[in-house]
Amino acid sequence: MMMGSFFGHEKTGKLIAIGCRVRYSPKGKQLDDVKRSHQTVYAVFEPKTSKWTPWQILELPEGEEFIFARNACAQWVVKNDGKLLVPLYIGKSAKSRFSTTVAECRFDGEKLVYERNGDVLRLDVARGLYEPSLIAFGSRYYLTLRNDVRGYVSVSDDGLYFAEPKPWTFDDGAELGSYNTQQHWLAHRDGLFLVYTRRGANNDHIVRHRAPLFMARVDAEKLQVIRSSEKVIVPERGAELGNFGCVRINENESWVTVCEGMFMKDSAKRGAEGATFVARILWSKPNP
């Protein structure tokens, strides 16, 4: 199974989908019985024929640290020179503590090729640092990272070598309260924004507090979420909203897309329908 995200590659005019390959049992349980079965994969869309290629594995270095190497549910960056910065969470197995690194890859219109990776970010807490998302803003690169206890953020000048990750906080110093789920980015020329879930929103009945979806502006220097800018962009109706996507559509708007996860017994009674939401973020100024 492949799951992930896709973006356009301007230099080749192709669309690239990057995700991960996961083995499942007939009963739906993730398997780790075959070495290197959890890997990053990609497919390419050709606009002239409106066809996708079969998915291919992104070949990564030999070595134990890349036995498990996923880019899944993540945001990645296409640099001005056409190379890709692809964040990966890596480990010796699906049960190991995960670390995060960013791989720089080249793309010739058909094949995605690993060239090098940056430093490896580690955290000796629970399952480590995983499900990273990357964005470019101004002259720097920003990485948000999932951890079971709290979300983390880091910054880099080149997109490969990052500062020590720090826990996400509000600008008043209080912890953000996002934990054990993803956070993603939206960027405008005039500001950087985070989309996330968190505790403290009258949402204790939601598993891992995975609803509603919030969006707030980020202080890009202090790496903090500006509390006064926080808004609910997808409401909580008794269902989880933890797995979602953020993407730029054009210079005037961006989208946040998510489906209600009907995993709790009372989700329907609380108003959830398993609906798919598209939250349109309309910028007051164009975002070229």
Side-chain angles (χ1 to χ4, degrees), residues 186 245-249 253-257 278-281:
L186 285 175
C246 297
V247 66
R248 180 185 188 273
I249 299 301
E253 67 180 278
S254 297
W255 289 3
V256 178
T257 57
V278 178
R280 298 176 62 202
I281 311 303

Side-chain angles (χ1 to χ4, degrees), residues 213-263:
L213 280 187
F214 293 97
M215 176 175 167
R217 190 164 184 154
V218 172
D219 184 322
E221 294 301 320
K222 296 181 179 179
L223 301 182
Q224 293 179 318
V225 172
I226 300 172
R227 189 188 288 273
S228 62
S229 70
E230 184 184 74
K231 294 183 178 180
V232 172
I233 57 171
V234 179
E236 179 266 304
R237 305 196 307 173
E240 294 183 32
L241 303 173
N243 295 334
F244 61 96
C246 297
V247 66
R248 180 185 188 273
I249 299 301
N250 56 43
E251 66 178 13
N252 296 310
E253 67 180 278
S254 297
W255 289 3
V256 178
T257 57
V258 66
C259 294
E260 290 179 318
M262 306 291 284
F263 307 122

Side-chain angles (χ1 to χ4, degrees), residues 170 175-179 181 196-204 208-214 225 227 230 232:
F170 283 111
E175 192 167 302
L176 181 62
S178 182
Y179 70 101
T181 194
Y196 55 94
T197 59
R198 65 168 176 83
R199 299 183 181 93
N202 194 28
N203 58 350
D204 287 349
R208 299 179 185 173
H209 298 86
R210 287 183 165 185
L213 280 187
F214 293 97
V225 172
R227 189 188 288 273
E230 184 184 74
V232 172

Side-chain angles (χ1 to χ4, degrees), residues 33-83:
D33 57 335
V34 177
K35 191 174 182 179
R36 289 197 173 233
S37 60
H38 293 259
Q39 291 293 300
T40 294
V41 296
Y42 66 96
V44 180
F45 181 76
E46 172 55 72
K48 294 179 181 178
T49 61
S50 296
K51 292 183 178 180
W52 286 94
T53 65
W55 57 263
Q56 305 175 65
I57 295 175
L58 175 63
E59 299 294 339
L60 294 171
E62 296 294 331
E64 290 188 343
E65 201 154 41
F66 289 97
I67 290 175
F68 179 108
R70 282 187 185 175
N71 170 276
C73 309
Q75 292 169 289
W76 41 276
V77 170
V78 181
K79 297 167 62 179
N80 290 336
D81 63 5
K83 291 187 178 182

Side-chain angles (χ1 to χ4, degrees), residues 145-179:
L145 303 130
R146 175 177 173 176
N147 173 259
D148 291 359
V149 179
R150 58 184 60 86
Y152 283 77
V153 59
S154 185
V155 65
S156 168
D157 290 329
D158 63 3
L160 289 171
Y161 296 93
F162 284 81
E164 186 74 18
K166 57 175 285 189
W168 271 116
T169 61
F170 283 111
D171 54 340
D172 58 12
E175 192 167 302
L176 181 62
S178 182
Y179 70 101

